[in-house]
């Protein structure tokens, strides 16, 4: 009988911690560098802004649509001079990666350096949207280095040939060499 009492005491003593302490695995949190939020049937996950110069950025975010219909997601942010609106179609019952391949939301006139937080608003339909304070990162981490926006190359100035008052002669056509086969 004493053995049963001791065994019951050990059993209750080792399982009793779960009665008072919350399980860490049931706590929702952002496990990566970005922030998350929910708008109706859309789950906004791991939103970050990637920039090299603090002026132009790439919004990188995963959007999960749990509805059976496509949704037009409005992404809005405050530029230097005005509010900028971009709409992205999120297909039904799917996850859309914005900023990786295909869909993109370029953020211009950011005026925020790496390490700061930048407000971005997500909304669709008649639902109340959500404003997320999105972290601004640079391309220092290898996994983000290829996703940082780069400036579009500017065309080089080419000089125009000077006009001459005298006409120039057109060279005579030369015979085109024929292809030969190797021995």
């Amino acid at each position: 009988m004493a053995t049963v009492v001791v065994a019951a005491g050990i059993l209750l003593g080792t399982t009793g911690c779960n009665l008072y302490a919350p399980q860490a695995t049931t706590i929702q949190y952002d496990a990566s560098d970005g922030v998350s939020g929910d708008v109706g049937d859309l789950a906004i996950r791991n939103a970050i802004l990637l920039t090299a110069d603090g002026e132009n950025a790439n919004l990188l975010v995963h959007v999960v649509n749990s509805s059976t219909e496509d949704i037009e997601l409005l992404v809005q942010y405050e530029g230097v001079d005005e509010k900028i609106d971009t709409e992205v179609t999120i297909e039904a019952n799917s996850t859309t990666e914005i900023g990786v391949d295909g869909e993109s939301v370029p953020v211009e006139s950011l005026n925020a350096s790496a390490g700061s937080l930048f407000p971005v608003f997500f909304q669709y339909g008649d639902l109340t949207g959500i404003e997320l304070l999105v972290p601004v990162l640079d391309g220092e981490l290898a996994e983000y280095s290829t996703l940082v926006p780069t400036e579009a190359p500017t065309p080089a100035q080419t000089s125009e040939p000077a006009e001459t008052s005298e006409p120039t002669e057109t060279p005579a056509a030369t015979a085109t060499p024929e292809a030969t086969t190797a021995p």
Side-chain angles (χ1 to χ4, degrees):
M1 181 71 162
T3 318
V4 172
V5 172
V6 171
I10 291 173
L11 183 63
L12 286 174
T14 57
T15 59
C17 293
N18 220 10
L19 294 174
Y20 303 108
Q23 281 184 313
T25 57
T26 62
I27 300 170
Q28 297 275 339
Y29 67 98
D30 294 316
S32 188
D33 298 321
V35 293
S36 301
D38 296 319
V39 179
D41 291 325
L42 296 182
I44 313 296
R45 297 293 177 253
N46 199 29
I48 58 174
L49 284 165
L50 299 173
T51 185
D53 59 7
E55 292 299 318
N56 299 308
N58 181 22
L59 176 65
L60 182 65
V61 61
H62 289 75
V63 183
V64 181
N65 182 354
S66 60
S67 77
T68 57
E69 296 181 14
D70 292 356
I71 293 176
E72 290 294 321
L73 174 65
L74 170 71
V75 179
Q76 184 181 72
Y77 65 93
E78 186 79 34
V80 172
D81 298 324
E82 62 186 343
K83 285 187 178 182
I84 310 295
D85 295 338
T86 304
E87 284 197 351
V88 179
T89 301
I90 310 300
E91 293 183 10
N93 294 314
S94 67
T95 299
T96 301
E97 293 181 336
I98 298 173
V100 179
D101 293 321
E103 293 286 347
S104 69
V105 177
V107 177
E108 298 171 351
S109 302
L110 179 67
N111 198 22
S113 59
S116 63
L117 298 174
F118 188 79
V120 179
F121 183 75
F122 298 90
Q123 188 268 334
Y124 76 92
D126 294 334
L127 296 175
T128 301
I130 185 171
E131 182 178 85
L132 297 177
L133 292 176
V134 178
V136 180
L137 304 174
D138 57 17
E140 290 294 316
L141 296 174
E143 55 268 18
Y144 298 140
S145 63
T146 60
L147 301 172
V148 175
T150 57
E151 291 186 33
T154 55
Q157 291 281 353
T158 57
S159 60
E160 297 284 328
E163 290 187 30
T164 60
S165 59
E166 296 180 25
T168 57
E169 290 185 30
T170 306
T174 58
T176 306
E178 292 185 25
T180 58
T181 57

